[in-house]
Amino acid sequence: MSSSLINLNEVTEVKQIPDMYWEVVTKKLHGVKNVVKLIRGQLFVELKEVFIRFDKHGRLVPPLGLESKQCDPDWAFHVKQPIINWAERLDRLKKYLNGKLPVNIFTDEYEDRGSKILERIKKDEYLSKMLNGPYVIGVIPQLSKQVVDNYGEVLEDIFLPAVQKAHDDIFAPKRAFKNYRAGELSNQVTVAENTRHDLLLKKAVEGNLVFVQCIQPLQGYSIRAQREVISLFPDWIALGGAIDMSCSLIQFIFELARDTKTPMYDCSALQWQSSDYSLYWNVNGDEFWFGSQSILEYASGDYSGSLVCFG
């Protein structure tokens, strides 16, 4: 049977399966001899459904049945893997937050906790290839419940000014930082349902939170698609928001906001003003800005959402 234009989702009978796919099955069984053994009853195969697969770039392979929009990534927009020099990265966070939130963690603990999360990912047969793409290991300082309840206020009063200072120390005066939602964040930012971001924030209330943030695993996925696929992941992995990304930017600003060929970063776990809006970061010409977007169904190869691993 010809394999052209066949939709595997519509295959219901053996005779509909093209020859090329029987060759795939044979390879999966490691050769014809094993196929013969299976037919004779001399070999048994345990079936396990795989929902999560990552490609060579560490991008999630679109799962079957994905309803929301996604498109091919444009890898011209990329981040180079940063060096995790623990002491320097932690010092940057303390310097730019300037005591406004408690960063009560020593370098040894930061390295130990971050390395354990990284090792947990590496040992997972489904998640390990996510690390083919760029990642950072950061810290969210301990947050109070009051801070979490008004995400937008702490973002505007503490985190965005700290990002600006970290940015300007490297890129000013050639490039400026701009918050296009200035004065419009307090009591107007909420966490979207079923993004796991609420679980991340609860952990941050308990104490300083060390996390691994994978930067480009969802490049080309619309925000709606990102929110759709997060349910496939274990509950110690959340969609990225703005506080976590602020901390990553403070600690890794040069790498993450290098130039106009870094991706636009969706804050896909967040809603701004209503469920029709979200927030994002963008290096655009002579500005690095923080702003809002309204087309949550929009998929573009130069946009990416992040996955935050905090287990």
Side-chain angles (χ1 to χ4, degrees), residues 171-190:
F171 295 104
K174 292 184 178 180
R175 196 175 75 193
F177 178 83
K178 178 72 172 179
N179 174 14
Y180 277 94
R181 296 279 71 86
E184 300 177 323
L185 294 172
S186 182
N187 294 310
Q188 298 186 67
V189 179
T190 56

Side-chain angles (χ1 to χ4, degrees), residues 152-172:
E153 182 176 60
V154 71
L155 185 60
E156 182 150 19
D157 291 349
I158 297 177
F159 286 105
L160 291 180
V163 172
Q164 179 171 0
K165 290 175 184 176
H167 172 274
D168 289 353
D169 275 358
I170 294 177
F171 295 104

Side-chain angles (χ1 to χ4, degrees), residues 7-278:
N7 183 348
L8 289 176
N9 291 325
E10 297 176 356
V11 171
T12 57
E13 299 179 20
V14 172
K15 64 182 181 182
Q16 294 177 285
I17 301 176
D19 292 342
M20 62 175 290
Y21 289 107
W22 289 116
E23 293 176 9
V24 171
V25 171
T26 301
K27 289 180 180 179
K28 294 285 186 184
L29 291 170
H30 303 290
V32 174
K33 288 184 179 179
N34 286 335
V35 173
V36 173
K37 287 181 179 179
L38 184 65
I39 292 169
R40 288 175 174 170
Q42 298 170 327
L43 180 72
F44 293 93
V45 177
E46 181 183 356
L47 299 179
K48 184 184 291 185
E49 193 164 9
V50 178
F51 295 103
I52 299 175
R53 290 188 300 124
F54 291 90
D55 65 19
K56 65 180 182 180
H57 297 284
R59 180 184 187 257
L60 180 69
V61 176
L64 290 175
L66 179 66
E67 296 181 355
S68 303
K69 292 180 181 178
Q70 65 86 31
C71 67
D72 290 340
D74 182 349
W75 294 121
F77 295 84
H78 66 281
V79 172
K80 297 175 182 178
Q81 177 58 44
I83 296 171
I84 315 293
N85 34 11
W86 303 92
E88 179 183 332
R89 302 300 181 174
L90 189 59
D91 286 347
R92 288 182 59 81
L93 188 67
K94 293 177 179 178
K95 174 183 176 180
Y96 292 110
L97 285 177
N98 195 27
K100 292 183 178 179
L101 286 171
V103 186
N104 298 324
I105 185 171
F106 293 107
T107 302
D108 288 349
E109 182 185 355
Y110 171 33
E111 181 174 359
D112 180 64
R113 290 169 62 185
S115 298
K116 284 179 178 176
I117 299 171
L118 202 62
E119 191 63 23
R120 184 177 188 183
I121 299 169
K122 288 178 179 178
K123 288 183 176 179
D124 189 294
E125 62 178 315
Y126 301 117
L127 298 175
S128 59
K129 288 186 178 179
M130 182 167 62
L131 298 178
N132 288 348
Y135 61 86
V136 299
I137 304 178
V139 177
I140 297 175
Q142 185 170 12
L143 306 174
S144 68
K145 187 177 184 305
Q146 290 76 17
V147 163
V148 169
D149 288 344
N150 194 345
Y151 196 115
E153 182 176 60
V154 71
L155 185 60
E156 182 150 19
D157 291 349
I158 297 177
F159 286 105
L160 291 180
V163 172
Q164 179 171 0
K165 290 175 184 176
H167 172 274
D168 289 353
D169 275 358
I170 294 177
F171 295 104
K174 292 184 178 180
R175 196 175 75 193
F177 178 83
K178 178 72 172 179
N179 174 14
Y180 277 94
R181 296 279 71 86
E184 300 177 323
L185 294 172
S186 182
N187 294 310
Q188 298 186 67
V189 179
T190 56
V191 175
E193 291 183 357
N194 303 317
T195 61
R196 313 275 177 76
H197 202 73
D198 57 328
L199 302 180
L200 182 150
L201 294 173
K202 286 179 182 178
K203 283 283 187 180
V205 171
E206 295 172 6
N208 289 265
L209 178 67
V210 178
F211 62 91
V212 173
Q213 187 155 30
C214 295
I215 304 299
Q216 295 181 261
L218 300 174
Q219 189 145 332
Y221 280 71
S222 67
I223 287 179
R224 296 227 185 273
Q226 293 174 47
R227 292 176 181 175
E228 184 177 342
V229 299
I230 191 60
S231 64
L232 303 177
F233 290 85
D235 61 9
W236 51 274
I237 298 179
L239 285 180
I243 288 178
D244 50 289
M245 193 62 180
S246 290
C247 294
S248 292
L249 285 164
I250 293 166
Q251 295 181 265
F252 298 88
I253 188 71
F254 179 77
E255 295 88 349
L256 297 182
R258 181 190 69 241
D259 54 34
T260 56
K261 288 300 184 179
T262 49
M264 274 62 85
Y265 301 119
D266 291 322
C267 301
S268 50
L270 302 182
Q271 298 175 158
W272 176 69
Q273 294 190 336
S274 77
S275 60
D276 296 324
Y277 289 83
S278 188

